[in-house]
Amino acid sequence: MTAIDYTALEAALADLLGPRGVSSDLRQRERASVDGARMSPIIAELLPLGVADLVAFPTTAEEIAAAVAIAARFGAPITPRGKGTGNYGQAIPMTGGLVIDTSRARTVHGVDGDTITADAGAPMTALEQAARAAGKQLWMYPSTVHTTIGGFLAGGSGGTGTIAHGSNDMGFVVALDVVTPVSDGALVHVEGDEAQRYVHNYGTAGIIARATVRVEDLQDWRGLYASFDDFSGALSVLRALGRLHPAPRLVSADTPHISAQLPPDDAFPPGRSSLRMIADARTVAEATALIESAGGRVEDVREGPTVSAAISVLSYNHPIEWLQKSEPGVYFHVEVSGDALVDRIDEVHAVYPGGLLHIEAGHTVPIGMLAGVYESPEAVYAGIAALNALGVGVHNPHQWNVDFKLAQTVELARETDPRGLLNPGKLNPDYAGPTKGAIR
């Protein structure tokens, strides 16, 4: 195998991007070679898994495409990166090579009817702001609200808006401009079903350089904060709240122990189970009645887009991160789904020592993050089998393999990346573990 001349590659990228558009500085390379994988004690024990030889910082979709073409001509591995907020090691360059940091390619091209287009590095907050200025809102955005649109589509799944619209592969994406090693610097425009083939595969079949996604008419949202004596009270109304019409943008609830670890807020009374929701203003009275009929109380109702963002960042993985910060080295989690999260909660909690569930109203069934005291990889995997036996769908956040429509991605990558340059180590044709599709 011919050695890659990274000095020459750096010079070629500097000609394209300017001297500040590429770096071989060790600190920059190290920063570009980590993501949120330390949230997994299984992956954390294996770190570091790889360090980039170079980092490039394109500022447009066209520069992303050109950088990929240059790296491909040198035969260098190419790992795309947004803000590095993924939790599974998807953005770690396991074989070194070039990391393409897309976060400077952040142009929002604007709203056109019921869609909005932006380059891959545009933060989801910027897309939402642009949509609001046009009287629209995004179909969905992730709990890490400052992540990039490219990162969310390539590595994320759902979030705020999922109750109404499902995960990000279920119609959110209208069109993509992607680049591959065989496209020779050209942006390949794909739409509809063809565009979906590049969603949630970590850039292993093509790197997203620009995206067009759906927006809808802007609604008047309220942030509703409620609390209950115990978790069972919150669970008893979660599904009913999720079925309100118009649908809420988010409904999250936590056990009293997890609630106590959230950032201080008068809406989180000590010793009580917290429930937060982003509710259409027209449903606040009905939501209040449901909560009070279950023995809960509404702590506050707040207005404004910053309130929605504040509730969003306390959803999905984030409460578990606060739990981990409160007791370092103790807890891990798995992603779970199903009515059993409500109907069999005591059995679900008992699967892992110290079991604690963060729960969300999902698109079809409740979804959540089940935390437990970490013992060993073997105990984690045994617990996944036990959860499946209870009727709980599980996604394993302790591995970095593409685990969504794997066979389709392998087939696509044979055409678009025959040399296996894109994000090596993430596309394993033999992977047979729990899949992302188990969580809806």
Side-chain angles (χ1 to χ4, degrees):
M1 182 175 179
T2 304
I4 299 164
D5 187 345
Y6 283 106
T7 300
L9 175 55
E10 183 176 11
L13 289 168
D15 286 342
L16 170 70
L17 304 172
R20 302 186 67 177
V22 61
S23 178
S24 56
D25 176 75
L26 178 60
R27 287 173 295 179
Q28 290 221 50
R29 291 189 288 120
E30 288 177 337
R31 283 197 296 269
S33 300
V34 297
D35 60 9
R38 288 194 178 278
M39 194 173 182
S40 162
I42 294 175
I43 298 177
E45 291 172 357
L46 303 175
L47 295 176
L49 285 163
V51 177
D53 293 280
L54 291 173
V55 187
F57 303 95
T59 60
T60 66
E62 289 76 14
E63 285 186 353
I64 293 172
V68 169
I70 291 170
R73 287 199 287 273
F74 279 81
I78 307 160
T79 302
R81 176 184 177 86
K83 286 291 184 67
T85 58
N87 297 315
Y88 318 129
Q90 307 102 310
I92 295 176
M94 293 185 173
T95 57
L98 174 69
V99 165
I100 295 184
D101 183 327
T102 65
S103 64
R104 297 183 189 178
R106 48 181 177 257
T107 298
V108 177
H109 297 279
V111 173
D112 182 7
D114 291 328
T115 67
I116 186 170
T117 300
D119 286 356
M124 297 301 294
T125 48
L127 271 76
E128 178 77 346
Q129 289 167 2
R132 287 182 64 85
K136 300 287 185 176
Q137 64 192 26
L138 290 172
W139 262 27
M140 67 185 71
Y141 59 82
S143 55
T144 308
V145 297
H146 296 288
T147 197
T148 65
I149 180 64
F152 176 49
L153 296 181
S157 182
T160 299
T162 279
I163 294 173
H165 298 298
S167 53
N168 63 4
D169 63 288
M170 298 171 69
F172 179 53
V173 178
V174 176
L176 298 173
D177 290 322
V178 300
V179 58
T180 74
V182 301
S183 69
D184 196 26
L187 289 170
V188 179
H189 186 76
V190 289
E191 299 181 356
D193 291 342
E194 185 66 18
Q196 308 308 317
R197 301 174 75 191
Y198 296 91
V199 174
H200 201 75
N201 61 23
Y202 314 157
T204 56
I207 294 174
I208 296 169
R210 183 177 290 134
T212 299
V213 296
R214 294 194 187 277
V215 295
E216 60 193 352
D217 289 342
L218 182 64
Q219 292 170 253
D220 186 12
W221 297 107
R222 297 291 184 272
L224 189 153
Y225 294 77
S227 72
F228 295 82
D229 287 336
D230 53 38
F231 195 41
S232 63
L235 291 179
S236 72
V237 297
L238 181 121
R239 288 178 289 195
L241 292 172
R243 290 192 292 265
L244 291 174
H245 183 78
R249 232 175 172 192
L250 188 75
V251 183
S252 294
D254 290 293
T255 68
H257 185 75
I258 296 180
S259 300
Q261 317 313 319
L262 300 178
D265 192 307
D266 290 342
F268 307 148
R272 293 176 66 82
S273 174
S274 170
L275 182 146
R276 290 89 58 196
M277 66 183 296
I278 303 172
D280 187 287
R282 293 166 286 182
T283 66
V284 168
E286 187 177 356
T288 299
L290 284 168
I291 290 163
E292 291 178 346
S293 69
R297 68 183 188 226
V298 173
E299 302 292 343
D300 204 357
V301 178
R302 302 172 183 172
E303 297 184 34
T306 59
V307 172
S308 291
I311 291 178
S312 296
V313 299
L314 294 180
S315 64
Y316 289 79
N317 284 333
H318 292 258
I320 305 304
E321 290 185 286
W322 284 104
L323 178 67
Q324 289 182 325
K325 289 175 184 177
S326 71
E327 299 179 63
V330 175
Y331 290 100
F332 76 101
H333 81 288
V334 292
E335 299 178 1
V336 289
S337 71
D339 286 314
L341 300 181
V342 174
D343 300 332
R344 307 181 72 172
I345 184 57
D346 291 340
E347 294 170 274
V348 170
H349 272 163
V351 166
Y352 293 118
L356 296 165
L357 179 68
H358 164 78
I359 195 166
E360 305 269 345
H363 183 55
T364 57
V365 295
I367 59 180
M369 309 290 155
L370 177 63
V373 175
Y374 180 66
E375 296 177 317
S376 67
E378 293 74 21
V380 172
Y381 304 141
I384 290 174
L387 288 164
N388 289 159
L390 292 174
V392 176
V394 180
H395 173 248
N396 176 16
H398 305 287
Q399 61 83 30
W400 48 78
N401 294 289
V402 170
D403 57 4
F404 179 69
K405 297 185 178 180
L406 174 60
Q408 172 184 287
T409 302
V410 170
E411 180 182 359
L412 178 61
R414 288 194 183 107
E415 302 171 10
T416 60
D417 184 28
R419 290 183 289 167
L421 297 179
L422 295 181
N423 209 353
K426 312 299 169 48
L427 189 57
N428 174 12
D430 299 321
Y431 174 75
T435 66
K436 191 68 177 179
I439 307 298
R440 282 288 184 265

